[in-house]
mmCIF file of all heavy atoms in Angstrom:
data_model
loop_
_atom_site.group_PDB
_atom_site.id
_atom_site.type_symbol
_atom_site.label_atom_id
_atom_site.label_comp_id
_atom_site.label_asym_id
_atom_site.label_seq_id
_atom_site.Cartn_x
_atom_site.Cartn_y
_atom_site.Cartn_z
ATOM 1 N N GLN A 117 46.148 109.037 119.524
ATOM 2 C CA GLN A 117 45.327 109.177 118.411
ATOM 3 C C GLN A 117 44.109 108.452 118.620
ATOM 4 O O GLN A 117 43.881 107.576 119.383
ATOM 5 C CB GLN A 117 45.985 108.564 117.038
ATOM 6 C CG GLN A 117 46.267 107.084 116.984
ATOM 7 C CD GLN A 117 47.165 106.693 115.830
ATOM 8 O OE1 GLN A 117 47.712 107.492 115.123
ATOM 9 N NE2 GLN A 117 47.153 105.453 115.453
ATOM 10 N N ASP A 166 43.235 108.677 113.490
ATOM 11 C CA ASP A 166 43.586 107.558 112.669
ATOM 12 C C ASP A 166 42.684 107.514 111.402
ATOM 13 O O ASP A 166 41.883 108.555 111.115
ATOM 14 C CB ASP A 166 43.501 106.345 113.626
ATOM 15 C CG ASP A 166 44.287 105.199 113.147
ATOM 16 O OD1 ASP A 166 45.183 105.335 112.058
ATOM 17 O OD2 ASP A 166 44.228 104.033 113.543
ATOM 18 N N HIS A 167 42.731 106.423 110.716
ATOM 19 C CA HIS A 167 42.146 106.250 109.444
ATOM 20 C C HIS A 167 40.856 106.974 109.235
ATOM 21 O O HIS A 167 39.918 106.850 109.973
ATOM 22 C CB HIS A 167 41.819 104.837 109.211
ATOM 23 C CG HIS A 167 43.068 103.893 109.070
ATOM 24 N ND1 HIS A 167 43.639 103.642 107.840
ATOM 25 C CD2 HIS A 167 43.773 103.364 109.983
ATOM 26 C CE1 HIS A 167 44.634 102.777 108.037
ATOM 27 N NE2 HIS A 167 44.819 102.678 109.343
ATOM 28 N N MET A 199 44.878 111.984 109.951
ATOM 29 C CA MET A 199 45.002 111.010 108.809
ATOM 30 C C MET A 199 43.877 111.060 108.041
ATOM 31 O O MET A 199 42.733 110.939 108.355
ATOM 32 C CB MET A 199 45.342 109.693 109.416
ATOM 33 C CG MET A 199 45.641 108.726 108.221
ATOM 34 S SD MET A 199 45.473 106.977 108.661
ATOM 35 C CE MET A 199 46.226 106.262 107.229
ATOM 36 N N ASP A 201 42.585 108.513 104.827
ATOM 37 C CA ASP A 201 42.912 107.235 104.195
ATOM 38 C C ASP A 201 41.855 107.000 102.956
ATOM 39 O O ASP A 201 40.906 106.518 103.116
ATOM 40 C CB ASP A 201 42.807 106.159 105.151
ATOM 41 C CG ASP A 201 43.063 104.779 104.465
ATOM 42 O OD1 ASP A 201 43.399 104.778 103.320
ATOM 43 O OD2 ASP A 201 42.865 103.764 105.180
ATOM 44 N N GLU A 229 48.532 113.097 107.489
ATOM 45 C CA GLU A 229 49.104 111.861 107.175
ATOM 46 C C GLU A 229 48.213 111.344 106.120
ATOM 47 O O GLU A 229 46.950 111.298 106.306
ATOM 48 C CB GLU A 229 49.069 110.944 108.541
ATOM 49 C CG GLU A 229 49.559 109.492 108.217
ATOM 50 C CD GLU A 229 49.344 108.554 109.421
ATOM 51 O OE1 GLU A 229 49.441 109.120 110.630
ATOM 52 O OE2 GLU A 229 49.166 107.360 109.194
ATOM 53 N N GLU A 231 47.518 107.908 103.214
ATOM 54 C CA GLU A 231 47.805 106.489 103.013
ATOM 55 C C GLU A 231 47.851 106.079 101.460
ATOM 56 O O GLU A 231 46.926 106.605 100.790
ATOM 57 C CB GLU A 231 46.786 105.620 103.789
ATOM 58 C CG GLU A 231 46.990 104.054 103.396
ATOM 59 C CD GLU A 231 46.622 103.103 104.446
ATOM 60 O OE1 GLU A 231 46.583 103.569 105.719
ATOM 61 O OE2 GLU A 231 46.303 101.916 104.185
ATOM 62 N N THR A 235 46.597 98.878 103.823
ATOM 63 C CA THR A 235 46.917 98.003 104.967
ATOM 64 C C THR A 235 46.069 96.915 105.034
ATOM 65 O O THR A 235 44.822 97.020 105.147
ATOM 66 C CB THR A 235 47.003 98.898 106.227
ATOM 67 O OG1 THR A 235 47.625 100.115 105.967
ATOM 68 C CG2 THR A 235 47.563 98.152 107.435
ATOM 69 N N GLU A 239 40.519 96.499 110.945
ATOM 70 C CA GLU A 239 40.617 97.362 112.123
ATOM 71 C C GLU A 239 39.520 98.286 112.205
ATOM 72 O O GLU A 239 39.131 98.873 111.092
ATOM 73 C CB GLU A 239 41.954 98.119 112.112
ATOM 74 C CG GLU A 239 42.220 98.916 113.420
ATOM 75 C CD GLU A 239 43.519 99.666 113.627
ATOM 76 O OE1 GLU A 239 43.729 100.544 112.663
ATOM 77 O OE2 GLU A 239 44.228 99.245 114.332
ATOM 78 N N HIS A 284 46.947 95.093 109.729
ATOM 79 C CA HIS A 284 46.300 95.405 110.944
ATOM 80 C C HIS A 284 46.093 93.990 111.647
ATOM 81 O O HIS A 284 45.503 93.091 111.149
ATOM 82 C CB HIS A 284 45.069 96.164 110.819
ATOM 83 C CG HIS A 284 45.150 97.613 110.318
ATOM 84 N ND1 HIS A 284 44.375 98.181 109.481
ATOM 85 C CD2 HIS A 284 46.122 98.399 110.816
ATOM 86 C CE1 HIS A 284 44.855 99.423 109.329
ATOM 87 N NE2 HIS A 284 45.809 99.690 110.171
ATOM 88 N N PHE A 323 54.272 103.771 109.945
ATOM 89 C CA PHE A 323 54.203 102.323 109.818
ATOM 90 C C PHE A 323 52.803 101.927 110.506
ATOM 91 O O PHE A 323 52.621 102.122 111.803
ATOM 92 C CB PHE A 323 55.389 101.741 110.665
ATOM 93 C CG PHE A 323 55.528 100.125 110.606
ATOM 94 C CD1 PHE A 323 56.920 99.690 111.025
ATOM 95 C CD2 PHE A 323 54.496 99.132 110.263
ATOM 96 C CE1 PHE A 323 57.119 98.356 110.939
ATOM 97 C CE2 PHE A 323 54.856 97.922 110.256
ATOM 98 C CZ PHE A 323 56.073 97.390 110.631
ATOM 99 N N HIS A 324 51.841 101.368 109.670
ATOM 100 C CA HIS A 324 50.672 101.002 110.197
ATOM 101 C C HIS A 324 50.664 99.383 110.357
ATOM 102 O O HIS A 324 51.598 98.759 109.848
ATOM 103 C CB HIS A 324 49.421 101.266 109.243
ATOM 104 C CG HIS A 324 48.986 102.603 109.362
ATOM 105 N ND1 HIS A 324 47.730 102.903 109.735
ATOM 106 C CD2 HIS A 324 49.587 103.769 109.082
ATOM 107 C CE1 HIS A 324 47.594 104.262 109.747
ATOM 108 N NE2 HIS A 324 48.737 104.708 109.243
ATOM 109 N N GLY A 325 49.824 98.840 111.257
ATOM 110 C CA GLY A 325 49.826 97.461 111.427
ATOM 111 C C GLY A 325 51.080 96.929 111.926
ATOM 112 O O GLY A 325 51.603 95.758 111.564
ATOM 113 N N ASN A 346 52.040 102.800 114.388
ATOM 114 C CA ASN A 346 50.736 102.733 115.063
ATOM 115 C C ASN A 346 50.705 101.549 115.954
ATOM 116 O O ASN A 346 51.144 100.380 115.595
ATOM 117 C CB ASN A 346 49.670 102.688 114.044
ATOM 118 C CG ASN A 346 49.425 103.922 113.376
ATOM 119 O OD1 ASN A 346 50.134 104.920 113.647
ATOM 120 N ND2 ASN A 346 48.360 103.980 112.569
HETATM 121 ZN ZN1 ZN B 1 46.246 101.810 110.236
#
Side-chain angles (χ1 to χ4, degrees):
Q117 64 187 18
D166 204 8
H167 294 267
M199 181 198 190
D201 177 5
E229 176 187 330
E231 175 149 333
T235 306
E239 187 176 66
H284 288 135
F323 190 157
H324 281 249
N346 286 8

